[in-house]
Amino acid sequence: MNFYVAPLEGITGYIFRNIFNECFGTGVNKYYTPFLALCSKKGVTDKEKNEISPENNKNYKLVPQVMTVCVEDFVKAKEKLRSLGYDEININFGCPARTVTSRGRGSGALRDLEKLDSFLDGIYKDGDENISIKTRIGVESPDEFGKVMDIYNKYPIKELTIHPRTMREVYKGIPHRDVFIEALSTAKMPVCYNGDINSVEEYIELCNLIKEHSTNNISGVMIGRGILKDPALIRKIAGGENTSFNAEDIKKYGASNEEVRIMLCKLQNEYTNKFSGQMPVLYKLKEIWAYLGQGLYVEHRKLFKKIMKCKSLEEYETYMNEILSQ
Ligand SMILES: Cc1cc2nc3c(=O)[nH]c(=O)nc-3n(C[C@H](O)[C@H](O)[C@H](O)COP(=O)(O)O)c2cc1C
């Protein structure tokens, strides 16, 4: 199986990707950038330049993700990315944020299927087979996805990553895995699953469900929040696959506190070099802890709360060391 680290805007930027890959990259086949415009009125922003600069993304395979529904803008972005050496380019039809969807982008693109079709017609017209898509299953209802799939199936999509929730559901409720399985059975392109895989058990459950209900297999699994809750999740799943998920073996692939400490310290150093003042650094670290506190360190509620409330890096380091030395 292929394992991909999902794009998480504000979290999985190039600093995070480099450090995560160094510390927990075993088993990861690809990383995706958080969505980029690459064609705003201002041109390519400095933040975007840093995100896609080959210098900043040396030791792993990176797929830049673009969010647009304008063919010309996409072509401009594609030319820029290809000139930097990127083959695969991913399009975002998944983002549920209102600022994006109100302008028909992200999962808002699924609202007007005629427009979606004409956009895809424009970008695949030259036979480009290196464009992949990340999508939700509809705007209001999961029933919309059949029609969306009919459109996707017309184009040579390199890989279709499906997050089986609607735009309205944002991240609430349980992903519609039945809709995913149905789409997998009718898909003419490789299909990757994404959504709520937070443990080895959930991955096994997904594989069993697919085996039971579809003759097609998935091309990959994309994991986002799960690798923040447990940074070694992909290493455990990928390692587990080689040992038939023997519990003892999986334990060996788990994250030690020391590994987590190293990752967090490297992030702290890099963010300290990048930002001025402690507060933005603290904010970034708390963002990671917000997930670790629901995952690996869920048992340490009191210390976790203290981390989330602390006002200086000194205070943060005290509580972090306390959690990680237990
Ligand atoms: C904070 C945050 C930022 C996200 N940013 C992006 C993004 O830039 N592009 C994208 O396609 N999806 C984005 N997503 C969606 C994730 O890539 C993923 O589809 C979603 O979290 C479900 O997968 P998971 O349950 O494995 O996290 C974001 C999600 C979160 C929570």
Side-chain angles (χ1 to χ4, degrees):
M1 185 67 69
N2 290 311
F3 296 101
Y4 311 142
V5 169
L8 299 170
E9 160 61 14
I11 303 175
T12 60
Y14 74 96
I15 291 180
F16 178 91
R17 289 195 300 270
N18 277 290
I19 293 172
F20 180 85
N21 190 57
E22 204 184 314
C23 300
F24 292 104
T26 305
V28 178
N29 300 94
K30 279 194 265 191
Y31 291 81
Y32 289 72
T33 68
F35 65 82
L36 308 160
L38 290 177
C39 41
S40 65
K41 284 191 191 94
K42 287 177 271 173
V44 182
T45 64
D46 285 346
K47 186 179 168 211
E48 290 178 330
K49 277 184 196 153
N50 280 330
E51 262 310 297
I52 57 174
S53 145
E55 272 298 291
N56 288 342
N57 296 284
K58 271 188 191 147
N59 298 319
Y60 46 85
K61 174 145 177 73
L62 180 68
V63 178
Q65 184 187 68
V66 173
M67 185 153 66
T68 181
V69 280
C70 165
V71 176
E72 277 160 45
D73 285 353
F74 180 81
V75 170
K76 263 192 244 161
K78 181 173 108 167
E79 278 165 7
K80 170 88 197 155
L81 292 167
R82 291 273 157 83
S83 75
L84 290 173
Y86 294 103
D87 46 6
E88 180 178 348
I89 298 166
N90 185 260
I91 304 177
N92 178 324
F93 292 140
C95 183
R98 192 166 297 171
T99 43
V100 161
T101 57
S102 61
R103 287 190 278 162
R105 296 185 300 155
S107 56
L110 308 178
R111 200 181 272 127
D112 183 342
L113 297 189
E114 226 171 277
K115 206 166 157 196
L116 177 74
D117 196 9
S118 125
F119 172 69
L120 295 177
D121 187 60
I123 64 165
Y124 283 105
K125 178 160 76 203
D126 60 0
D128 195 327
E129 292 186 354
N130 260 322
I131 305 169
S132 60
I133 289 177
K134 180 164 180 278
T135 189
R136 286 198 176 230
I137 55 172
V139 173
E140 305 291 341
S141 155
D143 300 340
E144 294 164 27
F145 201 47
K147 286 197 176 126
V148 177
M149 276 306 290
D150 288 344
I151 294 174
Y152 288 155
N153 271 331
K154 288 165 61 178
Y155 301 101
I157 297 171
K158 184 181 174 70
E159 189 171 33
L160 180 68
T161 298
I162 304 174
H163 175 59
R165 283 192 173 94
T166 63
M167 181 188 99
R168 291 273 178 246
E169 287 168 334
V170 192
Y171 295 103
K172 289 191 289 273
I174 299 165
H176 301 275
R177 296 215 167 125
D178 53 334
V179 177
F180 176 82
I181 301 274
E182 206 175 313
L184 178 64
S185 306
T186 59
K188 295 193 174 145
M189 71 293 280
V191 172
C192 166
Y193 176 84
N194 167 245
D196 296 35
I197 299 293
N198 296 308
S199 65
V200 175
E201 291 72 25
E202 278 165 339
Y203 171 75
I204 296 172
E205 211 177 285
L206 172 77
C207 292
N208 288 341
L209 192 78
I210 292 169
K211 225 184 273 166
E212 202 179 318
H213 295 285
S214 176
T215 49
N216 291 348
N217 203 356
I218 48 175
S219 53
V221 174
M222 177 188 274
I223 304 182
R225 293 164 298 173
I227 62 111
L228 300 177
K229 292 175 185 167
D230 176 358
L233 181 58
I234 291 180
R235 189 172 73 189
K236 285 198 292 190
I237 297 175
E241 274 196 325
N242 298 330
T243 60
S244 308
F245 292 107
N246 175 304
E248 277 307 307
D249 284 320
I250 292 172
K251 224 187 245 172
K252 275 195 318 221
Y253 295 111
S256 69
N257 283 350
E258 193 47 32
E259 284 181 299
V260 175
R261 184 204 308 278
I262 291 171
M263 180 183 83
L264 290 168
C265 289
K266 283 178 187 265
L267 285 170
Q268 185 173 336
N269 283 343
E270 287 299 317
Y271 290 139
T272 301
N273 289 339
K274 183 174 179 192
F275 300 116
S276 62
Q278 292 198 6
M279 291 329 271
V281 180
L282 207 46
Y283 176 83
K284 284 283 193 198
L285 296 169
K286 285 184 186 181
E287 214 168 26
I288 307 280
W289 269 103
Y291 290 95
L292 284 173
Q294 296 169 45
L296 269 191
Y297 301 104
V298 71
E299 315 269 282
H300 300 267
R301 283 202 69 74
K302 274 194 188 153
L303 280 168
F304 166 66
K305 276 191 186 160
K306 283 184 179 169
I307 285 194
M308 296 313 277
K309 279 189 192 153
C310 66
K311 298 218 158 37
S312 71
L313 283 172
E314 202 184 337
E315 216 186 330
Y316 161 79
E317 283 169 19
T318 307
Y319 297 133
M320 175 193 76
N321 284 327
E322 235 180 287
I323 288 195
L324 296 180
S325 61
Q326 285 184 7

